[in-house]
């Protein structure tokens, strides 16, 4: 029964009380509130969960906002919250936030859903500094999370300190300061997605094996000294993904791949985001320096034509590898040549 998707389970639930009793708990195992355009659906979901506390211990995944509020430009979080709370009285604006029905529902849900292991918190920048949200913050601290996704979270070091079993962390938009991070925080972290500034604090001393870097190589925010700190993972890093900031610059591509090979020599699975035109020659020259490479993926990439390659500036490589003496303009040709030069390379993908 648990293998059925939500639609199939919902259909069975309507057939008889037996299936309703059997399957209802599975419908609420993974909570993902609808986007702001479905605000009425969100309100119904939160109302149902608050009224059916017996369902809350079955929740293992929660992805969404702490409160079901839609973002409105120019309004604060609490303004958006008040604007979207259902059945508000005429004097609602004068009510303390903790006296509103939606807030009480959220407190009930987070304090009773004690078995959440996969948590995504959106728009939590204001509730961290608001004492009224302490019951929710305390509830999160008591969870035994395995996976966490946050954005604009100034309280992240404390959250990590309370989550010794955390294995996966994704930091979305907005910088999360980590100055108060301690070496013993999140000791089992093995998968990380973050900007370079945050990754440089989180990777050293932790068993990171999967690393997604959101700061593109070559852009102003990319610091080579910070990137060198990624080599301090005790993992080591075997899956790595990043974006190349200037893919049309052959030397920038060479430099990026060399930095990966030098600081992350154990990488077996590499994903390079391009987002434009890239020459095949730097790839063919430099990828073989990744001696453990087994899988290679390019995202949103187009190989430069002979004409585009002719006008591009790409000085000869300065490393020990013998440069290719021909122009590569076909992905199949490029991948075939790479497999000849990389004995462990099995999978090559263009997405």
């Amino acid at each position: 029964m648990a293998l059925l998707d939500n639609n199939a389970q919902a259909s069975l639930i309507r057939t008889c009380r037996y299936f309703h009793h059997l399957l209802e708990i599975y419908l609420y195992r993974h909570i993902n509130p609808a986007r702001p355009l479905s605000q009425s659906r969100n309100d119904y979901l939160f109302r149902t969960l608050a009224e059916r506390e017996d369902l809350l211990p079955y929740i293992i995944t929660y992805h969404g906002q702490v409160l079901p509020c839609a973002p409105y430009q120019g309004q604060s979080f609490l303004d958006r919250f008040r604007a979207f709370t259902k059945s508000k009285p005429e004097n609602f604006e004068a009510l303390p936030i903790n006296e509103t029905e939606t807030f009480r529902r959220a407190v009930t849900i987070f304090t009773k859903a004690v078995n959440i292991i996969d948590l995504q918190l959106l728009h939590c920048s204001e509730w961290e500094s608001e004492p009224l949200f302490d019951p929710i913050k305390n509830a999160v601290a008591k969870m035994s999370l395995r996976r966490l996704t946050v954005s604009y979270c100034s309280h992240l070091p404390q959250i990590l300190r309370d989550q010794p079993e955390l294995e996966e962390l994704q930091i979305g938009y907005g910088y999360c300061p980590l100055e108060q991070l301690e070496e013993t925080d999140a000791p089992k972290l093995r998968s990380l997605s973050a900007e370079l500034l945050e990754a440089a604090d989180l990777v050293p001393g932790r068993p990171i094996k999967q690393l997604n870097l959101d700061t593109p190589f070559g852009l102003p925010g990319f610091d080579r000294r910070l990137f060198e700190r990624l080599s301090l993972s005790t993992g080591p890093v075997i899956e790595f993904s990043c974006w190349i900031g200037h893919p049309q610059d052959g030397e920038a591509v060479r430099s990026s791949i060399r930095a990966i090979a030098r600081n992350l020599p154990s990488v077996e699975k590499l994903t390079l985001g391009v987002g434009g035109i890239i020459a095949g020659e730097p790839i063919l020259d430099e990828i073989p320096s990744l001696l453990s490479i087994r899988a290679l993926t390019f995202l949103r990439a187009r190989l430069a034509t002979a004409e585009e390659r002719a006008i591009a500036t790409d000085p000869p490589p300065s490393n020990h590898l013998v440069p290719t003496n021909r122009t590569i303009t076909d992905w199949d040709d490029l991948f075939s040549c790479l497999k000849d030069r990389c004995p462990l390379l099995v999978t090559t993908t263009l997405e």
Side-chain angles (χ1 to χ4, degrees), residues 12-291:
L12 280 175
I13 278 177
R14 298 187 187 100
T15 60
C16 66
R17 290 183 178 180
Y18 173 74
F19 281 132
H20 186 280
H21 174 74
L22 187 65
L23 291 174
E24 186 180 33
I25 60 175
Y26 292 106
L27 286 178
Y28 293 93
R29 286 172 65 84
H30 304 284
I31 302 298
N32 189 3
R35 295 297 182 181
L37 292 178
S38 301
Q39 193 60 35
S40 60
R41 179 183 172 187
N42 286 351
D43 184 74
Y44 179 77
L45 171 63
F46 270 62
R47 186 171 69 250
T48 299
L49 290 174
E51 293 173 353
R52 292 287 310 279
E53 294 186 19
D54 59 303
L55 296 174
L56 299 180
Y58 293 100
I59 300 175
I60 60 174
T61 300
Y62 182 90
H63 288 183
Q65 296 164 273
V66 178
L67 300 177
C69 304
Y72 262 57
Q73 188 174 5
Q75 290 183 313
S76 70
F77 177 83
L78 298 185
D79 289 337
R80 298 196 304 271
F81 167 73
R82 292 188 171 94
F84 278 84
T85 299
K86 296 288 184 179
S87 304
K88 60 182 181 181
E90 293 182 0
N91 64 340
F92 179 82
E93 298 299 335
L95 283 176
I97 187 173
N98 60 324
E99 293 183 13
T100 62
E101 184 63 28
T102 305
F103 183 83
R104 286 196 291 268
R105 292 174 187 166
V107 172
T108 297
I109 292 169
F110 279 91
T111 55
K112 300 293 179 61
V114 295
N115 294 316
I116 292 177
I117 60 174
D118 182 352
L119 180 64
Q120 178 193 58
L121 292 177
L122 301 178
H123 307 294
C124 61
S125 58
E126 294 184 46
W127 69 265
E128 292 170 353
S129 58
E130 174 56 64
L132 293 173
F133 285 88
D134 283 347
I136 297 178
K137 289 188 289 185
N138 293 335
V140 171
K142 294 178 181 178
M143 295 175 183
S144 184
L145 299 177
R146 299 297 188 274
R147 186 176 187 273
L148 174 65
T149 302
V150 294
S151 299
Y152 288 113
C153 187
S154 60
H155 204 59
L156 183 57
Q158 183 58 53
I159 294 178
L160 296 180
R161 193 159 300 131
D162 295 329
Q163 299 299 331
E165 301 299 319
L166 188 69
E167 297 178 355
E168 300 179 43
L169 174 63
Q170 180 176 349
I171 303 177
Y173 51 85
Y175 173 62
C176 296
L178 296 169
E179 290 84 358
Q180 299 180 3
L181 188 71
E182 297 180 1
E183 292 182 0
T184 54
D185 296 339
K188 297 183 180 180
L189 192 65
R190 61 176 179 79
S191 177
L192 174 66
S193 178
E195 297 283 348
L196 177 57
L197 193 61
E198 297 152 340
D201 286 327
L202 284 163
V203 170
R206 294 179 176 83
I208 305 294
K209 290 181 175 292
Q210 300 172 317
L211 177 59
N212 174 51
L213 198 61
D214 292 330
T215 306
F217 276 88
L219 294 192
F222 194 92
D223 188 325
R224 295 278 177 168
R225 292 171 298 179
L226 291 180
F227 186 76
E228 291 174 358
R229 289 180 55 80
L230 305 186
S231 65
L232 301 178
S233 167
T234 60
V237 175
I238 60 175
E239 295 186 22
F240 181 66
S241 61
C242 65
W243 285 83
I244 297 176
H246 302 286
Q248 290 179 284
D249 183 343
E251 184 56 29
V253 174
R254 295 182 188 278
S255 178
S256 300
I257 298 175
R258 288 175 197 157
I260 297 171
R262 183 170 58 253
N263 295 287
L264 305 175
S266 299
V267 166
E268 299 177 6
K269 182 178 180 180
L270 175 64
T271 299
L272 294 177
V274 178
I277 301 172
I278 189 169
E281 292 74 23
I283 297 172
L284 186 56
D285 291 338
E286 304 297 339
I287 288 296
S289 62
L290 293 161
L291 302 180

